[in-house]
Amino acid sequence: MGQTILIAGAGHAGGCAAAMLRQLGWQDGITLIGDEPYVPYQRPPLSKAWLTGDESADSVVLRPAGFYAAAGIALRLGTHVTGIDRAARTVTLSDGDLLAYDTLILALGARPRRLPVPGAALELRSIADADRLKAVIRPGGRLAIVGGGFIGLEVAASARALGADVTIIEREDRVLARVACPVMSDFFHTRHQARGVRIVSGAQVAALEGTGGDVSGVRLSDGQVIGCDSVLAATGAVPNDETARAAGLSCDNGIIVDLAARTEDPAIFAIGDCTRRPLPLYGRMGRLESVPNALEQARQAAGLICGKPPPAPEVPWFWSDQYDLSLQIAGLPFDATEVVLRGDLEAGRFALFHLAADGAVQAVEAVNAATEFMGGRRIILRRKQLTRTRIEDMSVSMQELAA
């Protein structure tokens, strides 16, 4: 009798893990379990092209629906894992079914952090969420976005393209405070304001106001009310690690895994947004919410399960598209003591290099500068040291810097 792999979660991580197992030669059973009624799809377009109508359901799926049957991957959609019996190696589903596994891959993802205030706000994590948001964004409509991170700014750009009035309400004193440096925050703040977005920073939401289920405003802690017709909560995400925690697996803001995506249980792996993983380049643990991380961990798990050599280590990276601006970030600025500008900030084509005290490049934030981003990834992986003078000198090519 063959070995059965169950994958709990049919998002980007889970869908890619299933496909990679087949690509690496796994011949036995694979069952992919997902709580949405859709085959695995890409989530990044939901805050951008999906809202503006430039993406359809067919264009965002990772693979056509027919791929799974052809590859012998069983789909259990519209249900999710509610419990894990590690001793019996079984999982219980929300529809009451009990499934046995030899290997379990947890790709449980993350969920939007709820606003801890009275009133209802829209969220953005799924196609259904995006469709609800799309229905309320219209010319002249007033959208308030609570949170000035990637999702908040991307939705703001999409909503402005559709003619809506947009106000961003950010708790910190600048947008992108948790993901980018102050120079980058100021750049995007200015660009959004130039497009007509109002940004209120250093603001705490006290309540959402309205009657009969219809929102009419966001009341701030200082008493100010931001008038609106709809509110999007874009205040970050919380890892879905409760089921793993209940099964006795170690969790700390995510399911703890090693560099092969293994939990402490040799029969259970975890991948994607639900994990807290080693960051060997930086000598610490962290939780990465990104498609590249989901793909990397899917490769790690599938490779070990299939007895293949481990994949080469990767530099964490992230991206965000807003208007005509492509923001790409390589690495994480841990222990950086200096930020060096390369390129033309005013022209909107530049990169910010984050250097440690010894000159090692820890991270690179690039806007419309793909060459600097790609070169930065190679430099970070090699732990190369650079000087401010050499980075700033545009007569020195990125190929030379990365050599």
Side-chain angles (χ1 to χ4, degrees):
M1 188 173 179
Q3 299 280 303
T4 298
I5 297 177
L6 297 186
I7 303 175
H12 216 122
C16 288
M20 287 177 187
L21 285 164
R22 286 292 185 238
Q23 290 169 10
L24 293 177
W26 183 260
Q27 298 294 319
D28 293 336
I30 302 173
T31 297
L32 185 60
I33 305 162
D35 57 359
E36 294 186 69
Y38 312 106
V39 295
Y41 62 87
Q42 304 174 64
R43 297 188 190 275
L46 297 182
S47 57
K48 300 181 279 288
W50 186 274
L51 292 182
T52 57
D54 296 325
E55 292 276 14
S56 65
D58 288 341
S59 63
V60 299
V61 296
L62 297 183
R63 290 170 178 81
F67 162 82
Y68 300 93
I73 299 170
L75 294 176
R76 292 293 301 267
L77 303 179
T79 187
H80 62 273
V81 171
T82 58
I84 303 167
D85 186 331
R86 292 168 54 191
R89 293 197 179 182
T90 61
V91 300
T92 303
L93 304 186
S94 57
D95 60 12
D97 280 0
L98 191 71
L99 300 182
Y101 67 84
D102 294 288
T103 301
L104 174 64
I105 300 177
L106 300 177
L108 303 173
R111 62 188 181 279
R113 181 176 284 110
R114 297 289 178 87
L115 284 177
V117 299
L122 296 167
E123 298 173 341
L124 183 54
R125 194 69 182 177
S126 66
I127 283 178
D129 293 337
D131 285 342
R132 282 190 287 270
L133 181 58
K134 185 190 298 187
V136 302
I137 297 178
R138 60 187 182 279
R142 300 175 302 164
L143 173 65
I145 301 173
V146 182
F150 285 155
I151 297 297
L153 295 185
E154 289 167 1
V155 171
S158 298
R160 287 300 296 140
L162 295 171
D165 295 329
V166 179
T167 299
I168 293 174
I169 302 165
E170 170 55 49
R171 181 183 62 184
E172 305 295 334
D173 61 1
R174 60 186 177 90
V175 298
L176 299 176
R178 291 169 291 279
V179 294
C181 71
V183 174
M184 192 64 76
S185 293
D186 289 345
F187 174 81
F188 275 92
H189 184 118
T190 300
R191 292 303 175 106
H192 276 275
Q193 281 193 325
R195 299 282 187 144
V197 176
R198 179 188 179 192
I199 299 175
V200 182
S201 57
Q204 190 73 37
V205 174
L208 307 184
E209 299 188 341
T211 57
D214 295 324
V215 68
S216 62
V218 179
R219 178 160 51 84
L220 306 182
S221 58
D222 64 2
Q224 179 185 179
V225 176
I226 308 295
C228 60
D229 307 312
S230 52
V231 178
L232 172 69
T235 52
V238 179
N240 293 323
D241 61 7
E242 292 82 1
T243 302
R245 192 183 299 272
L249 295 174
S250 295
C251 298
D252 178 15
N253 186 34
I255 305 166
I256 302 295
V257 296
D258 64 12
L259 271 177
R262 292 174 295 197
T263 71
E264 63 203 286
D265 185 324
I268 302 179
F269 293 74
I271 59 177
D273 289 2
C274 67
T275 67
R276 187 170 181 83
R277 53 161 291 175
L279 303 173
L281 287 174
Y282 303 99
R284 65 192 72 199
M285 300 286 289
R287 190 166 71 84
L288 303 178
E289 296 176 30
S290 70
V291 169
N293 176 66
L295 293 174
E296 182 183 18
Q297 290 189 300
R299 283 191 287 267
Q300 291 169 347
L304 185 61
I305 291 169
C306 294
K308 303 298 183 181
E314 298 182 14
V315 174
W317 64 276
F318 315 85
W319 84 92
S320 176
D321 295 325
Q322 302 165 37
Y323 309 115
D324 56 349
L325 304 171
S326 175
L327 169 61
Q328 296 171 296
I329 300 175
L332 300 162
F334 293 124
D335 305 321
T337 60
E338 184 179 16
V339 178
V340 181
L341 170 66
R342 177 181 171 87
D344 191 335
L345 189 68
E346 293 301 318
R349 182 179 174 81
F350 64 94
L352 300 170
F353 284 66
H354 294 251
L355 307 183
D358 63 357
V361 180
Q362 301 291 82
V364 175
E365 301 172 358
V367 173
N368 293 346
T371 300
E372 278 70 18
F373 165 71
M374 294 300 295
R377 288 178 65 187
R378 294 195 297 273
I379 290 168
I380 294 166
L381 185 61
R382 294 174 54 205
R383 310 306 298 143
K384 187 171 182 181
Q385 297 170 326
L386 296 176
T387 64
R388 169 181 286 273
T389 301
R390 193 159 172 79
I391 293 169
E392 291 176 335
D393 187 352
M394 295 301 291
S395 69
V396 179
S397 70
M398 277 306 301
Q399 185 175 3
E400 292 175 87
L401 286 180

